[in-house]
Each structure stands twice: as structure tokens, then as C-alpha cells.
Amino acid sequence: MLDVSFIPFFSFLALLGLLCVAFVSAWCQHWRGGFAWDGSAQMFNWHPVLMVTGMVVLYGAAALVYRFPSSWRGPKLPWKVLHSVLALVAFILAVVALVAVFRFHNDHGTPNMYSLHSWLGLATVLLFSCQWVTGLSTFLLPWAPTWLRALYKPLHVFFGSTILMLSMASCISGINEKLFFSLKNGTTQYKLLPPEAVFANTLGLLILLFGVLVLGALARSSWKRPNGDSPDSCQVL
């Protein structure tokens, strides 16, 4: 990676994340009819917005908490709490997004879990829930001994990156699936790239760029927090 300090990099990443949220919101508002909570197609629109916001942007932010230089000094507990809270908010948004899509499908007689996108998305959320509960019980609650935290930490880091990659794949496949379903019977076919397709494809590229940069930041050794637990590592919430 380029020799750049973390703060400018994170500032750019934050703008990119906001752009992802703005793009998916604009897509659903302008081309898909807006938002509602009544079982209609407008209720479905909450699904992509909340998934991109939660499982990509907020999850990416949670993953980068320990890369802040200020997190390397002083008590580690506040940063653990921030990491877990951001992840919890992301999980809550993902659950609401699942409720929106399942209710839309049920109200319109559409089968659930019929596509690769749905399998991948649900598997990602289930894996994320296991990751959050295991991380909470291992790193924040006081019962876990030091050797167990040291043993589980590499797995926690590995699955954290894996979940982000799965989230990107789920979002991109979902965008593609929605475009095919929405535009195949329209006056302009999707293969001719109408404005909506161009806009949504751009959203997919922004999501991919955001996720790749987060993964790159996680892999950069110079931005990793030095090893060693602070005295409050076992402190209960």
C-alpha cells in the first residue's frame, strides 16, 4: 500500500462509506419508489439500504477501531466497547433488513431463500451473529482466561475479514439480482445499460472499493495495535 498515515486514509474511507450509503439510498428513492413499512415494494427497499449501511459500512468501521493510533495507548476496554457496539448496531440493521425482505416476499407470495444471493446473505448474518456472541464472551466478559483469548484472537480476526468479504459478495449479488428482476421486462433492457443499471453498477463498485480498502488496512502491519493486553482486558462491562 501507499505510504500514507492512517487518519487521512480513514477520512477518505469514511467519505467512501457515506457515498455508498448515499448511492444505495438514492437508488431506492429515485428508481425503486422510496420507502415504507407496509409489505410493499417500498418496504423491500429498506433491505439494500440497511444491509449496505450495516454489514458493509458500519461493520468496516468496527473492524478498523483498533487501527486508530489513539487506541494503542491507555486502557483497551473503551475501544473494545466501541468495537462491539458498532458491530451490534450493524447486526441490528441487518436483522431489520431481513425482516423487511421476508415480509415483502411473504406478502407477495414470493418464495424465500430461492437464490444464491439469499443463501449467501443469510449465511453471512448467521456467521456474524456467532462472531459477535463469541467475541463478547471471550474478550469483554471476565470469565475467559488469557490463554483462551490468545488462542481465539487469530480466529476472530480471520472470521472478521471473512464476514466482510461475504457481505460485499452478498450486496453485489443482490444488486445484480434486483436489476435483472426489475429491468428485464422494462421498456429498456438491462443489457442496454439504462441509467438505473449504470447507477447501481457504480454502487457495486463503490462497495467493492470500500471493502478492499478496509481489508488492506487490516492487513497493513504498521497499523496494527502492538501485542499485549492492557490491565482491563478482563474487566466486565
Side-chain angles (χ1 to χ4, degrees):
M1 295 180 64
L2 296 176
D3 187 14
V4 60
S5 61
F6 179 80
I7 298 302
F9 177 87
F10 183 80
S11 299
F12 171 76
L13 202 57
L15 291 175
L16 187 59
L18 291 174
L19 196 59
C20 290
V21 175
F23 261 63
V24 68
S25 301
W27 176 34
C28 292
Q29 180 66 46
H30 181 70
W31 279 287
R32 297 291 101 218
F35 303 92
W37 197 264
D38 54 6
S40 65
Q42 286 70 41
M43 182 174 179
F44 173 88
N45 290 338
W46 284 111
H47 178 71
V49 170
L50 295 179
M51 281 299 188
V52 170
T53 303
M55 293 300 295
V56 177
V57 177
L58 282 181
Y59 187 84
L64 292 177
V65 162
Y66 296 119
R67 271 34 180 194
F68 278 98
S70 53
S71 73
W72 299 0
R73 301 180 298 272
K76 192 176 181 180
L77 180 61
W79 298 98
K80 287 185 177 183
V81 173
L82 178 60
H83 175 76
S84 62
V85 167
L86 286 173
L88 179 60
V89 173
F91 177 71
I92 292 173
L93 293 182
V95 170
V96 176
L98 289 177
V99 171
V101 71
F102 277 113
R103 181 177 169 186
F104 168 75
H105 284 172
N106 293 336
D107 287 358
H108 289 263
T110 304
N112 291 307
M113 306 303 297
Y114 60 87
S115 67
L116 177 60
H117 162 70
S118 59
W119 295 358
L120 186 61
L122 186 59
T124 303
V125 175
L126 291 175
L127 182 60
F128 181 26
S129 65
C130 295
Q131 169 88 341
W132 192 89
V133 171
T134 309
L136 175 70
S137 59
T138 303
F139 297 117
L140 273 175
L141 299 184
W143 71 271
T146 302
W147 67 265
L148 180 59
R149 294 197 307 272
L151 180 67
Y152 176 64
K153 182 178 178 181
L155 292 175
H156 187 74
V157 172
F158 169 78
F159 281 110
S161 298
T162 300
I163 291 168
L164 180 58
M165 289 188 289
L166 291 174
S167 298
M168 290 189 294
S170 299
C171 288
I172 292 172
S173 63
I175 291 170
N176 204 44
E177 181 178 291
K178 182 63 176 178
L179 287 175
F180 276 114
F181 285 164
S182 301
L183 300 180
K184 67 178 181 180
N185 294 321
T187 56
T188 303
Q189 293 183 353
Y190 173 61
K191 66 182 180 180
L192 300 179
L193 284 180
E196 180 180 357
V198 175
F199 191 88
N201 285 350
T202 304
L203 167 63
L205 291 177
L206 290 174
I207 291 172
L208 182 62
L209 178 60
F210 178 88
V212 168
L213 290 178
V214 170
L215 293 172
L218 294 176
R220 186 163 184 170
S221 58
S222 61
W223 287 350
K224 292 182 180 180
R225 179 185 171 100
N227 290 328
D229 289 329
S230 50
D232 65 345
S233 293
C234 299
Q235 184 176 342
V236 68
L237 289 177

